[in-house]
């Protein structure tokens, strides 16, 4: 039998490769495009788990980078990938086929603020999210709706992300998030209020000696085991592609290769 035809990028799309396991994603040339944050989140979520197994949920999956990396590069899953925007969700569905992940990644179309319509409570072992970073009233909103929804809290905010994670997680389940460093007090407070107790915190710095730009946090539902602060994650250095050795080891080719 002839092999099935794989989806091809449209005229306003690129086919991008990321990670060491051949993950491929479809993105609009002029829309929101994934960043290194997604790669760092997937690695953090995978390496900070403790002998867990079970179904995972990605909130705000976008192009699916985090979900595909979790499955293909780190051998986790299965993953339900919830995405709000229909056009982005449609590209995600095509990327599932591209990556041969039909049995491992399930795209869901819907709003995380209405999580009860898309998932049963308490069924996930691990929730991950690389949510919109920018406060809705901060700066100039992008005129492109896809960029605006993906970058700014116009369709969801940090309390909504935390509430959705709390609802979805089974007792003792875990959540992993990435946010700007300036929002660390706010996000840790929201997690603690929801009884999602932070257990691991790691700050991300562009270079040695530079201020932190991001933080990664891992929290545990209903179980407070104390907080471990990991050594800083340095992005740029003398490794391949100008990255640090740690970051370069996660990516082949460096960040993304489009066609």
């Amino acid at each position: 039998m002839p092999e099935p035809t794989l989806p091809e990028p449209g005229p306003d799309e690129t086919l991008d490769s990321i990670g060491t396991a051949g993950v491929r994603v479809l993105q609009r040339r002029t829309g929101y495009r994934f960043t290194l944050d997604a790669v760092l989140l997937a690695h953090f979520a995978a390496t900070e788990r403790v002998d867990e197994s079970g179904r995972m949920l990605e909130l705000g999956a976008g192009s699916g980078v985090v979900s595909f990396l979790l499955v293909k590069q780190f051998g986790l899953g299965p993953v339900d990938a919830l995405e709000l925007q229909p056009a982005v969700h449609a590209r995600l569905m095509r990327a599932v086929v591209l990556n041969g992940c039909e049995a491992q990644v399930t795209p869901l179309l819907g709003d995380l603020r209405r999580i009860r319509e898309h998932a049963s409570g308490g069924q996930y072992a691990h929730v991950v999210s690389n949510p919109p970073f920018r406060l809705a009233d901060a700066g100039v909103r992008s005129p492109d709706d896809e960029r605006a929804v993906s970058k700014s809290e116009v369709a969801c905010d940090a309390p909504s992300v935390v509430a959705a994670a709390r609802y979805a997680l089974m007792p003792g389940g875990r959540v992993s998030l990435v946010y700007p460093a300036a929002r660390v007090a706010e996000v840790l407070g929201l997690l603690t209020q929801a009884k999602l107790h932070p257990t691991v915190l790691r700050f991300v710095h562009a270079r040695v000696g530079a201020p932190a730009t991001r933080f990664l946090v891992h929290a545990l539902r209903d179980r407070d085991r104390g907080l471990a602060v990991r050594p800083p994650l340095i992005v740029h250095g003398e490794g391949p592609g100008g990255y640090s050795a740690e970051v370069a080891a996660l990516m082949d080719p460096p960040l993304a290769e489009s066609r």
Side-chain angles (χ1 to χ4, degrees):
M1 294 180 61
E3 293 186 3
T5 302
L6 295 178
E8 288 286 334
D12 187 35
E13 294 177 334
T14 61
L15 177 59
D16 301 300
S17 299
I18 186 65
T20 61
V23 167
R24 294 183 290 176
V25 293
L26 293 161
Q27 302 184 95
R28 270 183 60 212
R29 292 182 187 276
T30 57
Y32 176 76
R33 301 175 67 80
F34 76 87
T35 68
L36 181 62
D37 295 333
V39 180
L40 299 183
L41 175 64
H43 174 255
F44 180 75
T47 55
E48 292 297 343
R49 67 189 182 90
V50 182
D51 299 325
E52 82 179 21
S53 61
R55 198 162 197 90
M56 305 179 73
L57 172 66
E58 183 181 4
L59 298 172
S63 57
V65 172
V66 176
S67 290
F68 294 134
L69 288 174
L70 288 171
V71 166
K72 297 190 69 174
Q73 188 157 320
F74 298 106
L76 301 179
V79 184
D80 290 344
L82 181 64
E83 170 53 41
L84 172 66
Q85 301 179 82
V88 179
H89 176 264
R91 289 196 294 273
L92 172 59
M93 292 182 66
R94 291 160 60 208
V96 168
V97 178
L98 271 173
N99 287 283
C101 288
E102 294 91 335
Q104 300 160 296
V105 177
T106 302
L108 304 175
L109 177 62
D111 190 333
L112 67 82
R113 295 171 297 183
R114 302 168 71 175
I115 187 68
R116 287 167 174 77
E117 298 178 7
H118 312 294
S120 300
Q123 69 168 313
Y124 293 97
H126 200 154
V127 173
V128 296
S129 186
N130 176 19
F133 279 176
R134 185 180 298 165
L135 295 169
D137 57 356
V140 178
R141 174 176 169 169
S142 171
D144 182 273
D145 285 343
E146 185 176 304
R147 284 178 179 266
V149 170
S150 299
K151 295 179 67 174
S152 301
E153 293 184 334
V154 296
C156 77
D157 54 15
S160 301
V161 172
V162 171
R166 169 71 199 191
Y167 170 79
L169 283 172
M170 62 179 59
R174 302 166 186 278
V175 58
S176 299
L177 306 172
V178 58
Y179 268 99
R183 300 186 67 180
V184 64
E186 171 198 359
V187 173
L188 294 187
L190 289 169
L191 289 168
T192 301
Q193 289 168 20
K195 294 186 178 180
L196 297 172
H197 299 285
T199 58
V200 180
L201 180 65
R202 193 174 191 193
F203 287 96
V204 180
H205 302 250
R207 291 177 174 80
V208 173
T213 57
R214 300 281 189 267
F215 73 92
L216 297 149
V217 62
H218 193 72
L220 190 62
R221 179 184 157 173
D222 295 330
R223 299 177 186 173
D224 188 354
R225 295 180 176 172
L227 177 63
V229 180
R230 299 285 188 248
L233 194 163
I234 308 300
V235 173
H236 297 291
E238 297 181 358
Y243 292 110
S244 67
E246 180 179 6
V247 174
L250 302 176
M251 299 187 297
D252 181 23
L255 192 55
E257 182 179 286
S258 307
R259 71 175 176 87

